[in-house]
């Protein structure tokens, strides 16, 4: 059978053969990072020598032959060099004490006042925001020392943190009550914030269109209601309900426009622009329920229980006035959409289908349906007056209800698509992608997403593979190369090398952050619709 003998200083394999065995022996020398070499074969006096090992497993003849082979192998020892590598460090207080902390975090986490930070060392760092170039940070070790100086001991600081945490939880529990009291205070004393910007929205653009539509449809509802009371016409009743639904829905649109002008807050960081789409969606549901539903109901009742219609002269006069007023509102909405579509480089049809301005779209479709409804109602009432058959009038009511149902279905679909967060047009997405790919600092981009947030606001997201060589060159262009070379030549130990790499590595990371800020700024400048840019570094 096989017999083997292994020791730390020798390696021998003995083959099962009647003749002399073959033995491989080597002496390994290991070089440490300090430059010293160790002979593993000569360590320890207690260990068995190669000759003793062979004596245990072989005969005397084999000992003599193998001893001669050992001397031949030892003439050429195998040397293995081990590279000096940096030990993996545990990032404890030695490293974290140099971490930076902002003033807000220092005040909140360590229960300090702003005056407590005045005497600490201030360090200017690159700001990730466009409106500020640099911002002030503090060393975390300095803040911790100051907090112990203020509170006396870690236990006192922990008690203060616990007390503030309990107060914060209590405040959140009573948040609803606090908000209600704040609203009552504002209603009693008046809101101190200027609201001229919100009021100005109703004197131009979609706000102007909605206010004009509210006034005209309110008057139309009043006169149509009088005509229905006088004549008892089912078509006139449908027209009155239609005008009432339009008035209520456009009042809801005005509320949505007003709410969309609110500034973003911590609970809604992206603002309230979707309030217009929500108001338009509710408006579409209202048209379906109030307009289409009641018109269908009244038409079916007229078919089941027909009754004669009185004089239709006043009804014709009111319908003519309604046609003129609804047509005027329709022209105002058409002109506003044409102007906005021209500014966006879109056709009239594309602007309406994509629901770029939901408030104006609702007014446009409601007034277009109103004009057609007036024509349908007048035609059916005329047929009833000529033939004396009241069924024509009921059919007209069903036709008006069907038209309103079609408009409401379109509004519900387009506004739902907008609220779900649809992608922007492929051409616009391609322009944004080409802008990033053409930059020399970008090697490749992946997982590109561009979402239309509504009201010409786009959120762009991409994973960017940056070219580290270009980023490093950008950093080196701002450095004194001769001074940098002197620093390199002064590096003699591993500790000095680590300090050198940490210093310039941090600066290179700051350079990468500046490149990200530059790309985000270029995307926003060349594409004004892009309001939020999220670039993830691969």
């Amino acid at each position: 059978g096989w017999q083997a003998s292994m020791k730390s200083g020798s390696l021998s394999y003995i083959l099962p053969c009647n003749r002399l065995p073959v033995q491989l022996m080597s002496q390994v020398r290991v070089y440490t990072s300090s430059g010293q070499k160790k002979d593993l074969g000569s360590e320890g006096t207690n260990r068995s020598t190669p000759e003793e090992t062979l004596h245990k497993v072989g005969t005397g003849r084999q000992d003599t032959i193998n001893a001669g082979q050992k001397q031949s192998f030892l003439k050429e020892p195998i040397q293995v060099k081990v590279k000096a590598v940096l030990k993996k460090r545990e990032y404890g207080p030695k490293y974290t004490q140099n971490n930076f902390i902002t003033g807000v975090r220092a005040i909140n986490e360590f229960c300090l006042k702003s005056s407590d930070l005045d005497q600490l060392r201030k360090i200017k760092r690159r700001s990730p925001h466009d409106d500020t170039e640099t911002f002030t940070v503090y060393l975390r070790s300095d803040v911790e020392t100051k907090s112990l100086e203020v509170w006396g001991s870690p236990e006192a600081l922990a008690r203060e943190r616990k007390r503030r945490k309990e107060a914060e939880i209590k405040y959140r529990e009573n948040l609803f009550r606090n908000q209600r009291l704040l609203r009552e205070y504002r209603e009693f004393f008046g809101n101190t914030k200027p609201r001229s910007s919100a009021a100005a929205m109703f004197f131009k653009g979609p706000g102007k269109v909605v206010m004009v539509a509210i006034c005209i449809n309110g008057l139309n509802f009043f006169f149509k209601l009088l005509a229905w009371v006088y004549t008892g016409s089912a078509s006139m009743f449908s027209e009155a309900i239609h005008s009432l639904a339009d008035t209520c829905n456009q009042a809801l649109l005005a509320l949505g426009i007003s709410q969309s002008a609110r500034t973003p807050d911590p609970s809604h960081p992206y603002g309230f622009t979707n309030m217009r789409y929500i108001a338009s969606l509710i408006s579409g549901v209202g048209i379906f329920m109030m307009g289409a539903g009641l018109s269908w109901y009244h038409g079916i009742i007229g078919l089941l229980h027909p009754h004669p219609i009185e004089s239709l002269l006043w009804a014709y006069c009111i319908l003519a006035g309604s046609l003129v007023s609804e047509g005027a509102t329709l022209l105002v909405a058409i002109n506003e959409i044409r102007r906005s579509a021209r500014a966006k480089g879109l056709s009239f049809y594309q602007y309406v289908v994509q629901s770029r301005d939901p408030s104006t779209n609702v007014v446009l479709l409601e007034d277009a349906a109103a004009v057609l409804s007036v024509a349908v109602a007048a035609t059916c009432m005329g047929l009833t007056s000529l033939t004396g058959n009241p069924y024509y009038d009921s059919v007209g009511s069903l036709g008006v209800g069907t038209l309103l149902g079609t408009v409401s279905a379109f509004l519900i679909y387009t506004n739902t698509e907008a609220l779900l967060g649809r992608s922007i047009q492929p051409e616009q997405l391609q322009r944004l992608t080409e802008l990033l790919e053409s930059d020399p600092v970008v090697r490749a981009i992946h997982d590109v997403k561009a979402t239309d947030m509504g009201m010409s606001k786009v959120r762009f997201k991409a994973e960017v593979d940056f070219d580290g060589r270009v980023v490093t060159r950008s950093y080196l262009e701002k450095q004194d190369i001769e001074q940098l070379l002197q620093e390199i030549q002064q590096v003699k130990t591993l500790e000095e090398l680590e300090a050198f790499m940490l210093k310039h590595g941090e600066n290179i990371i700051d350079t990468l952050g500046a490149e990200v800020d530059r790309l985000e700024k270029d995307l926003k400048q060349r594409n004004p619709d892009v309001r939020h840019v999220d670039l993830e570094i691969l």
Side-chain angles (χ1 to χ4, degrees), residues 433-446 462-468 470-471 512 515-516 518-519 535:
T433 304
E434 291 176 353
L435 177 61
L436 280 179
E437 291 178 338
S438 62
D439 196 279
V441 79
V442 177
R443 183 184 290 118
I445 59 175
H446 309 278
E463 296 179 356
V464 184
D465 183 10
F466 285 90
D467 192 338
V470 178
V471 175
L512 177 60
E515 294 293 337
V516 173
R518 179 182 61 81
L519 291 175
L535 298 182

Side-chain angles (χ1 to χ4, degrees), residues 356 417-418 420-433 436 445-454 457-463 523 527 529-535:
R356 291 302 185 99
E417 286 290 314
L420 288 176
R422 60 193 172 192
S423 178
I424 62 176
Q425 295 299 312
E427 298 81 7
Q428 188 179 4
L429 181 60
Q430 182 66 23
R431 289 196 299 267
L432 296 174
T433 304
L436 280 179
I445 59 175
H446 309 278
D447 194 20
V448 180
K449 294 183 178 67
T451 306
D452 188 354
M453 300 176 61
K457 292 184 179 181
V458 175
R459 180 180 180 182
F460 181 81
K461 177 261 179 186
E463 296 179 356
L523 286 172
N527 301 271
D529 291 346
V530 178
R531 303 295 181 86
H532 307 281
V533 180
D534 300 324
L535 298 182

Side-chain angles (χ1 to χ4, degrees), residues 60-274:
R61 179 184 176 187
Q62 291 172 342
D63 293 341
T64 305
I65 297 175
N66 290 336
Q69 287 185 351
K70 171 194 169 187
Q71 295 178 357
S72 63
F73 278 112
L74 290 177
K75 293 180 180 179
E76 298 180 358
I78 300 175
Q79 296 183 357
V80 180
K81 293 185 178 181
V82 179
K83 293 183 178 179
V85 297
L86 202 62
K87 292 177 63 178
K88 184 177 180 181
R89 297 182 182 272
E90 296 294 336
Y91 294 98
K94 178 181 177 182
Y95 286 86
T96 57
Q97 66 182 356
N98 293 326
N99 286 356
F100 297 132
I101 185 172
T102 60
V104 176
R105 285 188 58 192
I107 293 174
N108 293 335
E109 295 183 12
F110 294 93
C111 306
L112 297 176
K113 300 178 182 178
S114 57
S115 58
D116 297 332
L117 304 178
D118 294 340
Q119 299 177 356
L120 301 182
R121 289 177 289 180
K122 300 178 178 63
I123 302 172
K124 298 292 184 180
R125 304 300 297 172
R126 179 188 62 84
S127 174
H129 306 289
D130 298 334
D131 52 351
T132 55
E133 295 183 357
T134 59
F135 68 101
T136 303
V137 294
Y138 304 88
L139 285 175
R140 189 181 186 89
S141 57
D142 294 348
V143 175
E144 291 177 351
T145 304
K146 186 64 178 179
S147 65
L148 293 178
E149 178 184 341
V150 172
W151 295 104
S153 65
E155 292 76 12
L157 177 60
R159 287 194 298 269
E160 179 63 19
R161 286 177 177 172
K162 183 178 180 181
R163 187 189 66 81
R164 295 193 179 189
K165 187 66 175 178
E166 293 175 353
E168 181 181 357
I169 294 175
K170 184 177 180 181
Y171 171 76
R172 289 181 178 178
E173 291 176 352
N174 299 328
L175 182 60
F176 178 77
R177 182 176 60 86
N178 294 335
Q179 290 179 345
R180 180 171 55 83
L181 293 176
L182 183 60
R183 285 196 301 268
E184 294 178 357
Y185 173 83
R186 288 177 176 176
E187 291 175 0
F188 184 77
F189 291 99
N191 194 353
T192 58
K193 289 186 177 181
R195 300 189 61 87
S196 58
S197 59
M201 297 182 64
F202 295 102
F203 294 97
K204 61 180 180 180
K208 178 182 177 181
V209 175
V210 171
M211 293 306 296
V212 170
I214 289 176
C215 296
I216 292 178
N217 284 319
L219 293 175
N220 288 340
F221 165 69
F222 178 73
F223 288 111
K224 288 178 181 179
L225 185 63
L226 292 179
W228 170 70
V229 172
Y230 181 73
T231 62
S233 171
S235 297
M236 186 56 64
F237 175 80
S238 299
E239 282 299 308
I241 293 299
H242 183 188
S243 296
L244 176 61
D246 289 349
T247 304
C248 296
N249 291 329
Q250 286 152 8
L252 183 62
L253 294 178
L255 178 62
I257 293 174
S258 176
Q259 293 295 316
S260 65
R262 294 169 58 186
T263 56
D265 56 24
S267 300
H268 305 84
Y270 291 104
F272 298 85
T273 53
N274 283 339

Side-chain angles (χ1 to χ4, degrees), residues 230 237 272 290 315 325 351 416 491 499 512:
Y230 181 73
F237 175 80
F272 298 85
M290 293 180 62
S325 60
Y351 192 88
T416 302
V491 174
L512 177 60

Side-chain angles (χ1 to χ4, degrees), residues 314-503:
W314 286 105
Y316 289 137
C317 295
I318 292 174
L319 286 178
S322 176
L323 181 63
V324 173
S325 60
E326 298 283 3
T329 308
L330 179 61
L331 290 177
V332 173
I334 290 175
N335 292 332
E336 176 63 24
I337 290 180
R338 282 180 177 175
R339 184 186 63 81
S340 301
R342 192 181 305 111
K344 297 296 180 182
L346 300 174
S347 64
F348 185 89
Y349 175 77
Q350 290 176 336
Y351 192 88
V352 173
V353 171
Q354 296 176 12
S355 189
R356 291 302 185 99
D357 187 353
S359 303
T360 309
N361 273 5
V362 173
V363 175
L364 171 71
L365 296 175
E366 284 183 348
D367 290 338
V371 171
L372 294 177
S373 298
V374 168
V376 171
T379 302
C380 292
M381 290 171 61
L383 291 175
T384 299
S385 62
L386 291 176
T387 61
N389 188 353
Y391 286 107
Y392 289 109
D393 186 62
S394 300
V395 171
S397 180
L398 293 176
V400 172
T402 302
L403 184 59
L404 293 178
T406 303
V407 170
S408 64
F410 179 80
L411 291 176
I412 293 172
Y413 171 76
T414 55
N415 288 284
T416 302
E417 286 290 314
L419 289 173
L420 288 176
R422 60 193 172 192
S423 178
I424 62 176
Q425 295 299 312
E427 298 81 7
Q428 188 179 4
L429 181 60
Q430 182 66 23
R431 289 196 299 267
L432 296 174
T433 304
E434 291 176 353
L435 177 61
L436 280 179
E437 291 178 338
S438 62
D439 196 279
V441 79
V442 177
R443 183 184 290 118
I445 59 175
H446 309 278
D447 194 20
V448 180
K449 294 183 178 67
T451 306
D452 188 354
M453 300 176 61
M455 299 306 301
S456 301
K457 292 184 179 181
V458 175
R459 180 180 180 182
F460 181 81
K461 177 261 179 186
E463 296 179 356
V464 184
D465 183 10
F466 285 90
D467 192 338
R469 297 169 299 177
V470 178
V471 175
T472 305
R473 290 193 186 101
S474 176
Y475 169 70
L476 293 176
E477 290 174 357
K478 303 174 184 178
Q479 305 299 316
D480 187 352
I481 301 299
E482 295 182 357
Q483 182 180 358
L484 189 62
L485 181 59
Q486 293 178 0
E487 293 181 8
I488 297 175
Q489 293 174 351
Q490 293 175 358
V491 174
K492 301 300 182 182
T493 63
L494 291 178
E495 288 74 13
E496 294 177 353
L497 176 62
E498 180 184 4
F500 176 82
M501 295 298 296
L502 291 177
K503 171 186 174 182

Side-chain angles (χ1 to χ4, degrees), residues 300-309 389-391 394:
I300 293 174
I301 292 298
L303 291 175
L304 296 177
H305 307 284
H307 62 277
I309 300 176
N389 188 353
Y391 286 107
S394 300

